[in-house]
Amino acid sequence: MGVLMSKKQQVEKVQKCSAVVSAFQAGIKDRAVKQTDAEVGEGEEDARTSAGPNDKNTEEVKPEETDNNAGPSTSQQASAPVRDECKVNQEAWSRLRDGKGVEPEDLDKSHQLTPPAFVRPKREPDDDQPVEVDLENKEQPPSGEMCDVCEVWTADDLYPCRICTRVFHDGCLRELGYLRTEALQEMRDTAHTVTGWSCYYCDNVNLLLTEEEMYSLMETFKQCKIIPESCLVSDELLQYRHFVSKQQFDKDLSDEQEEEVLAQFASLDPEKKGHIEWSDFLYFESLAVLRKFRTENSLVRLLSAKERDKARVVFQGLVMDKDSVITRAECRQAQQSWFHKLKDPQSCNVSISHVGPICESSPASSGSERSKTDENRPLTWADFLRESAIYILAARPNSSAMHIRMPL
């Protein structure tokens, strides 16, 4: 509690200092406005004085003066928005000074709340190099204290993301239109629980793809006549898989592979609506692209500090000896633990994990033939993190659909 109070005191100090600076800036602006108005008044008086002795030219001057004085001066027009802005700033800072903060409903949405510009990542030269992540030292990144949308602090009603350090007002997310009513209620119910809630940025695993990877995926969609933002029924998913199989393996799907595609459809439609949402289909394909084209080291670099901390807890709970190693069977058990938010964990065994259908040489088709030697092979912390990275990323979306095939 002491740590929390100290953070709040620091925030209050910053707010008080900012209020003083804001008041000082507002005073300077008001002084500049007054000086401008005074200069305009003196100029008008000088003009009237100089026009006095020339009574003969009065009739010629009057029309020009009428035209010039038809409306307010340019400086007066410019001073009005400045006064309004100063008034708004003073009211905002007074609320922060009183500890009330500024609620999202009080903001000018047309000026303040603008959708963020999503920038896709770029591959670095050392992207495939091993990453050293210490097992003992937890990172424990603190969540932010200001809403990521309006950048305003409030004493309460901030909802943290379980993946990154961003926090949000529910009102800001509602105004941006990123979350529907049902999703907003889910955020309020889960954001402060053990399960947690993923923000609109972390929930969208498609944003992990580079421009090149996304272009390749969209080209495949176009060739298969997949319409973005539309739901897919089972026949459309089968047609898509047939096309990918023909493109990659130059052969059609077998009867067994068609059954696996239908099983995948069921895992992406846990509520049995008869169709899969576009976002779930896109996330599944995006994770398949990551798994196909990225190395395990590259996937580890995509993990957030909170995800690495959770991986540490899971691994340390499985370690039973001083060598800090676990078996592959224990690793697969841990990989399923990332999907504890599912109501029915058994449904995770009915989807497939790669682009296109399963072929005879794929790891999934030969999973039942793994030897006991492989099951008992020891894995270090680094091995565990590399093999689990794709499953950790797949657990980011808030949807209950399974976007990756779990290890058997």
Side-chain angles (χ1 to χ4, degrees):
M1 188 65 183
V3 176
L4 294 176
M5 290 298 294
S6 64
K7 284 187 178 180
K8 185 175 181 181
Q9 291 173 356
Q10 292 176 1
V11 173
E12 290 177 350
K13 289 181 180 179
V14 172
Q15 292 169 353
K16 291 179 181 179
C17 294
S18 301
V20 173
V21 173
S22 177
F24 178 76
Q25 292 176 345
I28 293 177
K29 291 181 179 180
D30 290 339
R31 184 181 302 174
V33 170
K34 292 178 180 179
Q35 291 178 355
T36 303
D37 293 340
E39 292 174 0
V40 173
E42 292 176 1
E44 292 176 353
E45 291 178 359
D46 293 339
R48 287 195 296 269
T49 304
S50 61
N54 300 327
D55 295 334
K56 296 181 180 179
N57 298 330
T58 302
E59 295 179 359
E60 299 178 358
V61 175
K62 280 185 178 180
E64 296 178 2
E65 290 179 350
T66 303
D67 295 338
N68 293 336
N69 297 329
S73 63
T74 304
S75 59
Q76 289 174 337
Q77 293 176 350
S79 63
V82 173
R83 290 196 190 96
D84 295 339
E85 183 180 356
C86 293
K87 184 178 179 181
V88 172
N89 290 338
Q90 289 174 354
E91 292 176 354
W93 282 115
S94 65
R95 294 195 62 179
L96 288 175
R97 185 171 59 251
D98 297 338
K100 298 178 181 178
V102 178
E103 298 301 328
E105 291 76 8
D106 299 332
L107 295 172
D108 182 7
K109 306 297 191 306
S110 60
H111 179 264
Q112 296 283 352
L113 302 185
T114 56
F118 296 118
V119 180
R120 292 194 175 275
K122 295 183 179 180
R123 299 290 302 274
E124 299 295 335
D126 60 344
D127 204 32
D128 297 328
Q129 299 300 318
V131 185
E132 293 185 6
V133 180
D134 193 357
L135 175 61
E136 302 299 332
N137 297 328
K138 292 185 178 181
E139 300 171 63
Q140 297 179 336
S143 296
E145 296 179 344
M146 294 187 180
C147 174
D148 189 71
V149 178
C150 65
E151 297 182 349
V152 171
W153 175 85
T154 53
D156 51 10
D157 296 334
L158 283 171
Y159 297 92
C161 174
R162 64 184 174 91
I163 306 299
C164 64
T165 59
R166 301 180 183 93
V167 293
F168 301 88
H169 291 123
D170 55 349
C172 290
L173 295 176
R174 182 177 64 252
E175 291 296 332
L176 282 177
Y178 279 118
L179 297 181
R180 293 174 292 183
T181 304
E182 301 82 4
L184 278 171
Q185 188 58 44
E186 180 184 356
M187 177 194 70
R188 298 187 187 103
D189 295 339
T190 61
H192 294 290
T193 64
V194 178
T195 301
W197 164 81
S198 296
C199 67
Y200 56 84
Y201 190 89
C202 297
D203 176 81
N204 189 354
V205 293
N206 175 257
L207 295 177
L208 299 174
L209 302 185
T210 63
E211 291 286 353
E212 295 78 10
E213 291 168 340
M214 186 58 191
Y215 177 80
S216 175
L217 185 60
M218 292 305 296
E219 284 297 312
T220 304
F221 290 164
K222 289 179 182 179
Q223 294 174 9
C224 296
K225 298 181 180 181
I226 298 294
I227 303 175
E229 306 299 335
S230 62
C231 300
L232 278 76
V233 296
S234 58
D235 290 342
E236 292 174 325
L237 185 62
L238 274 172
Q239 182 181 359
Y240 174 76
R241 292 299 178 200
H242 272 289
F243 176 84
V244 175
S245 175
K246 198 73 174 176
Q247 187 181 55
Q248 292 186 352
F249 309 118
D250 195 22
K251 62 179 181 180
D252 295 326
L253 295 178
S254 64
D255 294 339
E256 293 181 356
Q257 291 166 346
E258 286 189 353
E259 291 179 0
E260 291 171 345
V261 173
L262 294 176
Q264 173 198 330
F265 181 89
S267 70
L268 292 173
D269 181 27
E271 298 179 2
K272 302 187 184 304
K273 298 178 180 179
H275 64 266
I276 56 178
E277 300 293 336
W278 166 256
S279 58
D280 291 326
F281 173 71
L282 181 62
Y283 296 167
F284 185 94
E285 296 302 315
S286 300
L287 289 165
V289 170
L290 289 175
R291 198 170 194 178
K292 181 178 180 181
F293 295 108
R294 301 286 189 95
T295 63
E296 292 179 341
N297 290 327
S298 177
L299 296 177
V300 171
R301 294 180 183 273
L302 298 178
L303 300 179
S304 67
K306 289 184 178 181
E307 289 172 322
R308 291 192 294 268
D309 276 347
K310 186 175 180 181
R312 288 185 179 93
V313 173
V314 173
F315 183 82
Q316 290 173 341
L318 295 173
V319 172
M320 303 300 294
D321 52 26
K322 297 181 180 180
D323 296 333
S324 297
V325 295
I326 62 175
T327 63
R328 181 171 292 277
E330 292 173 331
C331 178
R332 294 195 182 93
Q333 179 184 357
Q335 289 165 355
Q336 294 186 8
S337 69
W338 298 106
F339 302 90
H340 59 80
K341 64 179 183 293
L342 294 176
K343 296 180 181 179
D344 183 13
Q346 298 300 324
S347 64
C348 63
N349 292 325
V350 294
S351 61
I352 27 185
S353 61
H354 49 80
V355 175
I358 295 178
C359 63
E360 290 78 358
S361 60
S362 65
S365 63
S366 59
S368 59
E369 301 176 0
R370 292 191 183 98
S371 63
K372 293 183 179 180
T373 304
D374 184 59
E375 291 292 328
N376 296 326
R377 185 168 66 87
L379 295 178
T380 63
W381 158 243
D383 297 331
F384 170 79
L385 194 61
R386 284 195 300 268
E387 294 192 10
S388 301
I390 187 64
Y391 299 102
I392 299 174
L393 296 174
R396 285 187 176 186
N398 296 307
S399 170
S400 60
M402 286 298 302
H403 303 103
I404 193 171
R405 181 182 185 274
M406 294 303 298
L408 300 177

